[in-house]
Amino acid sequence: MTEKLLSIHELTKSIGSITPVKGISFDLKRGGCTALLGPNGAGKTTTLRMLAGLIPPTRGEIKHGSADKQTNDWRHRIGYLPQYPKFYSWMSGKEYLSFSAKLSGLSGQKALQRSQEVIEMVGLQQASKRRISGYSGGMKQRLGIAQALVHEPELIMLDEPVSALDPIGRREVMDLLNRLRGEVTILFSTHVLHDAEEICDDMVLMVDGEIAEKGALSELRSKYRQPVLSIEVEPGERELAWLHG
Ligand SMILES: Nc1ncnc2c1ncn2[C@@H]1O[C@H](COP(=O)(O)OP(=O)(O)O)[C@@H](O)[C@H]1O
Ligand SMILES: [Mg+2]
């Protein structure tokens, strides 16, 4: 039985008169990759912001396997990439990462060492000394993922990491996520089923603030699989078989 890294139960967020997240429950397996799938407005960003500790839930529970026993704080164990990340574009990639590492509490020497490691993990060695203002969309997104990884979290949460990218940037980031699979637990949101299928084991489908479906992608695929064509043959099927034989 795989260990649960995170369990959320009846999580709800109301903002004024609207309720973007309506009592959702799911678990994340340690070491797994889960897609939070859903159309725009489904409540994905609101859910991830609650899981990242950026906004408090109105109701419900978030249980983190490695939360600090005294404070129940899990934020040091997670990395988060927002849907619209902002960078200090005058910094170089390396400066930005050591800045992020220090913000996460790493000391000077360790911050430099981890920055170098994550630069290599995301394949930005060549560009690490260049200003972020000259980076492509895919490079910025990879830098954002490096930032989420720099303090060695056990879970990274990425909000639509490929949605705003052109096909080349998209490929770069998908390949990176494929490489990270198994190294760190991944939760990422997307509105594209194909992206979820490419890298994830599990899926949570949100529609209008609720979970419409969840589970292992392989099981969901066989549950909903339908024949593409069904052929009924009249007498004379032998000739048909012969024609295609
Ligand atoms: N701070 C807010 N104030 C008002 N409405 C909000 C706020 N945050 C989210 N919403 C609304 O909640 C719904 C879900 O938003 P969001 O979580 O961003 O969905 P998704 O990320 O799936 O596109 C949307 O209709 C959005 O307009
Ligand atoms: Mg969103």
Side-chain angles (χ1 to χ4, degrees):
M1 176 91 184
T2 326
E3 188 193 343
K4 284 180 202 166
L5 182 63
L6 189 80
S7 291
I8 74 168
H9 184 67
E10 295 289 324
L11 195 65
T12 302
K13 182 72 188 178
S14 298
I15 303 164
S17 61
I18 61 156
T19 305
V21 179
K22 302 174 178 133
I24 61 171
S25 304
F26 65 89
D27 300 325
L28 292 186
K29 287 185 221 137
R30 185 180 287 278
C33 176
T34 305
L36 186 59
L37 186 68
N40 286 337
K44 303 182 297 295
T45 296
T46 310
T47 301
L48 291 177
R49 285 170 59 80
M50 284 192 276
L51 298 184
L54 292 171
I55 52 170
T58 308
R59 265 196 313 282
E61 217 184 352
I62 304 170
K63 273 198 210 150
H64 198 279
S66 349
D68 186 297
K69 295 279 177 293
Q70 254 114 50
T71 60
N72 197 30
D73 196 354
W74 66 85
R75 286 173 301 175
H76 58 294
R77 304 303 304 138
I78 58 172
Y80 173 67
L81 176 65
Q83 185 165 4
Y84 305 107
K86 304 238 172 13
F87 299 100
Y88 296 112
S89 53
W90 44 269
M91 282 186 179
S92 72
K94 192 165 182 183
E95 281 166 345
Y96 178 75
L97 286 173
S98 65
F99 171 70
S100 308
K102 285 177 193 155
L103 276 183
S104 308
L106 302 188
S107 64
Q109 191 55 37
K110 180 79 179 158
L112 278 179
Q113 180 204 329
R114 270 304 288 170
S115 307
Q116 191 55 39
E117 281 170 17
V118 289
I119 282 169
E120 286 169 25
M121 274 168 98
V122 303
L124 284 176
Q125 299 93 312
Q126 306 284 322
S128 70
K129 293 193 178 133
R130 280 177 22 213
R131 280 175 190 238
I132 301 169
S133 54
Y135 282 19
S136 67
M139 289 162 81
K140 280 189 187 152
Q141 220 47 355
R142 284 188 283 148
L143 181 66
I145 296 174
Q147 164 276 133
L149 288 166
V150 78
H151 54 298
E152 296 185 82
E154 55 192 357
L155 165 66
I156 54 171
M157 298 193 281
L158 313 171
D159 196 357
E160 305 238 14
V162 296
S163 298
L165 298 178
D166 64 12
I168 295 174
R170 196 178 188 92
R171 193 68 263 146
E172 287 172 10
V173 173
M174 291 303 282
D175 287 347
L176 169 61
L177 293 181
N178 253 318
R179 289 202 301 279
L180 291 174
R181 267 171 61 103
E183 306 232 342
V184 60
T185 310
I186 301 174
L187 173 65
F188 87 103
S189 70
T190 175
H191 57 262
V192 183
L193 174 63
H194 185 71
D195 292 344
E197 288 185 314
E198 184 175 335
I199 55 167
C200 285
D201 322 297
D202 295 304
M203 184 203 74
V204 175
L205 173 64
M206 277 186 85
V207 180
D208 200 16
E210 297 183 60
I211 292 182
E213 192 58 272
K214 64 182 170 184
L217 265 167
S218 54
E219 283 165 23
L220 294 173
R221 221 179 275 128
S222 43
K223 181 170 165 191
Y224 289 105
R225 182 175 294 143
Q226 288 190 340
V228 177
L229 278 177
S230 65
I231 301 176
E232 283 179 28
V233 282
E234 301 267 308
E237 77 262 33
R238 279 202 185 176
E239 285 83 345
L240 192 69
W242 181 81
L243 269 177
H244 291 271

